[in-house]
Amino acid sequence: MHKLFKTTLALFTLGMLAAGCSSDDDNNSSVDDIMVQLTPGEIQLTTTQKQLVAKGNDFAFRTMQKFNDTKKDGFVFSPMSISFLLGMVADGADGATRAEIINALGATGKNRQILNTFYANIILNAPNVDKDVKLEINDAFFGNTLFPVTLSKAYKTNLQDYFKALVEYCDFSKTQATVKRINEWCEASSHGMINSIGLENNLDATWPNVLLSCTYFSGPWSRAFDERNTQKLYFTKADESRQLIPMMRKTDEVLFMQDSEVKAISMPYGDGNYQMLLAMPASGNIDNLIGSLSGSRFDDIRKNMVTTYADILMPVFSAKTDEFLRPILNDLGINTMFSSDADFSPMYDAANGNTSVDDIKHVAAIEVDEDGTEAAAITSTWRYSSSGEEQPDIRLFHARSPFVYIIYQQSTGAIFFMGKYNGK
């Protein structure tokens, strides 16, 4: 079985007016500059872009903690996808609306070109670091032909040049045809995993646009689990209840670390340039572990890992999350985009009243088995007005109680997917 990761985001942003871009000391970067920077196995980042990854990972763990406050039975989400969506929103926003978004992403003081060049670097080069892993990032802007103002030239250029976005117009009064066209794009971009983003009962002729970003990942384990070793064993949930679930098992060479707080392994996909990190509390409980995680703690775990053989026991599992993100984003400091004070003026060429975003929805699903992983995530803004003794040379990592999982790119540490598993 060839397993996949797929992430889809959908954005419905309402905005008008046109504005220019600010400037700072990194304006010499361009899309052309990054097209030939790739070294096999690595994504080449500038010093500023490395900082953006680190801050982006901080955003990922803060978001994970917010999810964990309410999703005690487990969850999955894509921080990279949410970041890309917010990046495109920020490019069409100004004033406090934009400032709150870039502050939450850890990009305070960075202008549009710095951020857009960073996103372009990921879009252009992340698909090429591992010959056995297929990663695609596709973006699209579907505009409403009935909207009385046109997309600003600067914003359209940024979408096409940096985000490689399709720009297409539909008559939103023809709701069924518009929804069908958008769903066709989603299905094609996600290779059939996402066939609807839930517009069927929501889209109407007053919406100015639908903006989407789809990230697709297909990567088998570097060394698959043998299905013959999979058996049903008990998994102990956070509330101490137990479930019989399929557990796969193998002995493999992996990255491993353990300290007083956490026990973790990192298992490779393909040539090893993408990895899944699994982390369990070495003491305390899963909530304490999640509360202690941050971008710097993630870096510390990775830096302290050593290559060793491990006896790995983990569930064959699936999970799904369907969540409105406005409360989480509010807690992370993003408020103005949801209010009457929202400023999306850089997106359009003329003003036409106040507009804002009502909510952002994130839908994600993941499946993990002996061959690899399959996952999907959709983010959208919505307008409503076995046990054994440890051998000296083999570490044990038996995930028979709640754990965190993180999918990341090895050379940069950039996180694409993450979640908590707490049983079925």
Side-chain angles (χ1 to χ4, degrees), residues 21-22 26-31 91 98 110-118 158 162:
C21 296
S22 59
D26 269 4
N27 278 340
N28 292 326
S29 293
S30 71
V31 176
D91 193 61
R98 181 178 184 275
K110 303 299 188 291
N111 72 7
R112 286 176 170 82
Q113 188 162 349
I114 290 174
L115 282 175
N116 291 347
T117 302
F118 167 67
N158 286 348
Y162 292 100

Side-chain angles (χ1 to χ4, degrees), residues 59-61 63-65 67 75-80 82 321 362 364 377 405 416-419:
F59 172 79
F61 285 106
T63 304
M64 170 179 261
Q65 288 155 5
F67 267 111
F75 53 85
V76 58
F77 72 101
S78 173
M80 181 66 74
I82 296 172
T321 296
H362 192 71
Y405 51 91
F416 282 80
F417 289 87
M418 64 201 310

